[in-house]
Amino acid sequence: QLQLVESGGGLVQPGGSLRLSCAASGVTLDYYTIGWFRQAPGKEREGVSCISSSGGSTNYADSVKDRFTISRDNAKNTVYLQMNSLKPEDTANYYCAARPALGSWCPIISGMFGSWGQGTQVTVSS
C-alpha cells in the first residue's frame, strides 16, 4: 500500500528557502503523478504544483510560479518541492499526494489524488 511522508518544513524568514521532500513506501512512484498542496488555517486546500510520472511535465499555481520548483528522483522514490523567495502568505501545512499516472497531464486538483501524506508545516515569518 502506498504511503507518503513529507519532511523539510520549518520556520524561515521572508525571502528564505526550504526544500520539502515527499518519500514514498509500499510501491514505486514510477507510475504515479505527484502533487503538492497546501492548507492554511481557515482557508481551503490549495494546489501548489504537480509533476508527471516521468518528470517531463510540471504544473504550478500562479502564486508560486517562478519561485517553487518541483522535481522527482524515482530511484529514491522521492519527490521534492524547492521553495525560494518565500513569503508570509506561503505559510501553510504542505501535503504531497499521489495518483496513478495520467501521462503528461498534470492537474493540480486535489479531488484527483487518492493517496495523501500527513503534511509538513511551513511558517514564513520574521
Side-chain angles (χ1 to χ4, degrees), residues 32-46:
Y32 286 83
T33 295
I34 305 296
W36 281 98
F37 298 83
R38 66 187 182 185
Q39 188 166 20
K43 294 188 176 181
E44 292 187 355
R45 186 174 295 175
E46 174 189 16

Side-chain angles (χ1 to χ4, degrees), residues 34-109:
I34 305 296
W36 281 98
F37 298 83
R38 66 187 182 185
Q39 188 166 20
K43 294 188 176 181
E44 292 187 355
R45 186 174 295 175
E46 174 189 16
V48 174
S49 184
C50 178
I51 188 166
S52 64
S53 57
S54 68
S57 293
T58 58
N59 197 6
Y60 297 92
D62 288 343
S63 58
V64 307
K65 205 169 290 184
D66 299 325
R67 298 189 298 122
F68 291 10
T69 302
I70 192 171
S71 62
R72 65 191 298 157
D73 185 341
N74 284 351
K76 294 183 178 180
N77 232 25
T78 301
V79 174
Y80 305 98
L81 184 68
Q82 178 67 43
M83 306 187 297
N84 299 329
S85 302
L86 282 162
K87 304 175 181 179
E89 51 263 43
D90 294 317
T91 295
N93 205 5
Y94 283 70
Y95 301 87
C96 65
R99 65 147 294 131
L102 295 166
S104 61
W105 188 38
C106 198
I108 320 174
I109 303 171

